[in-house]
Amino acid sequence: MTENEQLVESMIRSRQADLCAAAGGQVVFREDGSGVTCLLAAIQDPLLSSLGSLDWGDKVVGRAAALLFSLLQARSVFGSTMSTGAQEVLAAAGIPYRCDATIPVILDHSGTMPCPLERAVSGTADPHAAFDVLTRLHAGGPTIQPPPRKETT
């Protein structure tokens, strides 16, 4: 495990952050908050874009968050709790992941149905399409621009 991976795991496990990223042995992004709102904000952060691929840690990683991590081209992802759908997305994107607990699906606050964000992205494997859907769900917040699509060769 790299120094960055250890750092993000430590930050999440000790509850010093709900979402964080590390590069060069230092935390370069740290936020507290629930849902994917912080992750959507991270996508628009020009500093993070300039740093390239980062190691990320998140308190809860569902399919929606995994699609956004894929969009960010994460180097690795740690989640205290991670859904099997998130693991499938990260594996398909070739992003190494670790977690303390795996659950079938992220549930809503009532604990009776899948989280609305998970339902919203259930039909897509495209990170850009997921970003569009999740941004629309967070309408009324700041205007968020996705990173440019990278050409594959």
Side-chain angles (χ1 to χ4, degrees):
M1 182 181 311
T2 69
E3 180 181 10
N4 292 332
E5 291 170 331
Q6 290 175 348
L7 184 56
V8 297
E9 282 190 28
S10 173
M11 294 288 293
I12 298 301
R13 285 184 176 140
S14 66
R15 297 187 174 142
Q16 294 177 41
D18 289 334
L19 174 70
C20 63
Q26 296 187 10
V27 174
V28 294
F29 182 83
R30 181 195 165 285
E31 286 289 331
D32 291 312
S34 59
V36 298
T37 305
C38 295
L39 197 47
L40 288 168
I43 288 172
Q44 73 173 348
D45 187 324
L47 172 62
L48 291 178
S49 302
S50 71
L51 294 174
S53 187
L54 303 171
D55 294 288
W56 287 89
D58 197 345
K59 188 169 67 173
V60 178
V61 181
R63 193 169 193 290
L67 285 161
L68 295 178
F69 284 127
S70 178
L71 186 64
L72 284 166
Q73 298 182 335
R75 185 179 359 225
S76 70
V77 175
F78 169 77
S80 287
T81 302
M82 188 177 288
S83 73
T84 54
Q87 292 173 343
E88 291 167 3
V89 167
L90 294 170
I95 299 171
Y97 62 86
R98 296 160 323 286
C99 63
D100 290 332
T102 301
I103 59 174
V105 66
I106 306 298
L107 298 176
D108 65 9
H109 292 293
S110 72
T112 59
M113 295 181 60
C115 164
L117 301 175
E118 299 299 287
R119 289 192 315 259
V121 300
S122 66
T124 185
D126 177 2
H128 283 87
F131 176 86
D132 292 341
V133 167
L134 294 169
T135 300
R136 281 195 303 275
L137 284 175
H138 282 86
T143 302
I144 299 173
Q145 297 297 317
R149 290 182 188 257
K150 299 219 175 178
E151 297 298 321
T152 56
T153 56

